[in-house]
Amino acid sequence: MSKIKTVIWPKVIFFGDSITQGSFQPNGWGADIANKLARKCDVLNRGLSGYNSRWGKILFPRLFSSTNSAEDNIAAVTVFFGANDCALQDKNPQQHVPLQEYSDNLKEITKLLASVGVSADRVILITPPPLNESAWEKECIVKGCPLNRHNSVAGQYAQACVQAASQCGVDVLDLWTLMQKDGQDYTVYLSDGLHLSQEGNQFVAQHLWELLERRVADLPFLLPYWGDVDTKSPESSLLCDL
């Protein structure tokens, strides 16, 4: 019998902070997209709660292989940092990253992705969402600290993300702008002022899919449809080259 060929599943990787880590919860944006891509690719969650772009850049070599082998067939990567970077330096110095460094980190992460074979056309940067200060202040008070983020500052980091994406030639999903477009009530998209509500997850899933779909549109449905399996000789259907 000839050697059985392993099925190589392409990958879509979500890299970011808690908004990414929590995206696989029920009704999460990551879970929604993973469901759309079932039997086409593996969707991997590399969200790290509380992390910023500085730590993400440092950690990159531990998360992404430097060997550009068939097993590392990456169809797309999202980079979603900023919600922690934009924490106020005097109120939350541990998570705060200066604006220019944040921009530089995003550019460096894009370069690092290119170094492991993920070209710019497969990278999507995502800006931090807007911040509902009154709701987040209540969360801060419960934790015994003052309000440590401002929506206007989150907007500065969002703009830096958009500019970094333009300079790197990658797509960007500008949540901060889209969620506040035409004066809409963006607070419905946030559960605690910072993280996404169910409506927010639906919003991200919808708009991210618009950018992601063309990158995965040509991925085939892996392995035969059950009705096409030869019942008399299933091996001939299930072990054949794809």
Side-chain angles (χ1 to χ4, degrees), residues 99-176:
L99 187 61
Q100 185 59 53
E101 183 190 341
Y102 168 69
S103 175
D104 292 341
N105 289 340
L106 294 180
K107 296 173 190 176
E108 182 62 24
I109 290 171
T110 301
K111 290 179 182 177
L112 289 169
L113 285 167
S115 74
V116 297
V118 183
S119 54
D121 61 313
R122 288 180 278 168
V123 178
I124 301 170
L125 300 188
I126 306 177
T127 77
L131 180 81
N132 178 0
E133 293 179 18
S134 59
W136 184 243
E137 185 172 26
K138 292 176 183 177
E139 295 291 321
C140 291
I141 290 171
V142 169
K143 297 174 183 176
C145 61
L147 177 66
N148 57 22
R149 289 165 172 81
H150 291 157
N151 188 38
S152 60
V153 176
Q156 294 173 13
Y157 282 70
Q159 185 57 38
C161 180
V162 170
Q163 292 173 351
S166 176
Q167 292 168 7
C168 294
V170 303
D171 273 345
V172 63
L173 175 55
D174 184 359
L175 292 179
W176 192 87

Side-chain angles (χ1 to χ4, degrees), residues 30-41:
D32 182 284
I33 290 174
N35 182 59
K36 285 183 169 71
L37 294 175
R39 289 280 291 275
K40 290 192 170 186
C41 67

Side-chain angles (χ1 to χ4, degrees), residues 6-235:
T6 303
V7 178
I8 303 300
W9 296 69
K11 299 180 179 71
V12 169
I13 302 175
F14 298 146
F15 183 36
D17 53 32
S18 61
I19 303 177
T20 296
Q21 180 176 313
S23 71
F24 276 26
Q25 66 188 332
N27 301 309
W29 60 267
D32 182 284
I33 290 174
N35 182 59
K36 285 183 169 71
L37 294 175
R39 289 280 291 275
K40 290 192 170 186
C41 67
D42 286 334
V43 179
L44 306 181
N45 187 326
R46 296 294 181 264
L48 302 156
S49 178
Y51 277 52
N52 55 35
S53 64
R54 178 187 296 159
W55 299 344
K57 182 186 70 172
I58 294 170
L59 194 61
F60 183 94
R62 300 193 69 187
L63 301 180
F64 293 86
S65 171
S66 59
T67 58
N68 188 15
S69 64
E71 287 75 14
D72 297 316
N73 179 15
I74 298 175
V77 176
T78 62
V79 180
F80 192 174
F81 289 104
N84 297 316
D85 298 69
C86 73
L88 303 176
Q89 185 174 14
D90 60 334
K91 301 294 194 302
N92 186 353
Q94 185 174 5
Q95 290 180 302
H96 170 79
V97 172
L99 187 61
Q100 185 59 53
E101 183 190 341
Y102 168 69
S103 175
D104 292 341
N105 289 340
L106 294 180
K107 296 173 190 176
E108 182 62 24
I109 290 171
T110 301
K111 290 179 182 177
L112 289 169
L113 285 167
S115 74
V116 297
V118 183
S119 54
D121 61 313
R122 288 180 278 168
V123 178
I124 301 170
L125 300 188
I126 306 177
T127 77
L131 180 81
N132 178 0
E133 293 179 18
S134 59
W136 184 243
E137 185 172 26
K138 292 176 183 177
E139 295 291 321
C140 291
I141 290 171
V142 169
K143 297 174 183 176
C145 61
L147 177 66
N148 57 22
R149 289 165 172 81
H150 291 157
N151 188 38
S152 60
V153 176
Q156 294 173 13
Y157 282 70
Q159 185 57 38
C161 180
V162 170
Q163 292 173 351
S166 176
Q167 292 168 7
C168 294
V170 303
D171 273 345
V172 63
L173 175 55
D174 184 359
L175 292 179
W176 192 87
T177 298
L178 285 173
M179 286 182 168
Q180 299 179 92
K181 189 176 181 181
D182 300 325
Q184 64 182 303
D185 180 14
Y186 69 88
T187 63
V188 300
Y189 298 128
L190 304 168
S191 62
D192 58 2
L194 174 65
H195 301 94
L196 300 175
S197 64
Q198 182 169 331
E199 291 84 358
N201 275 283
Q202 291 172 349
F203 186 96
V204 173
Q206 175 192 338
H207 287 84
L208 180 56
W209 183 247
E210 292 172 1
L211 295 175
L212 194 59
E213 186 174 16
R214 65 178 176 81
R215 292 171 167 83
V216 297
D218 294 333
L219 294 178
F221 194 69
L222 294 170
L223 298 173
Y225 171 64
W226 72 268
D228 294 334
V229 175
D230 184 343
T231 56
K232 294 181 179 179
S233 178
E235 293 85 358

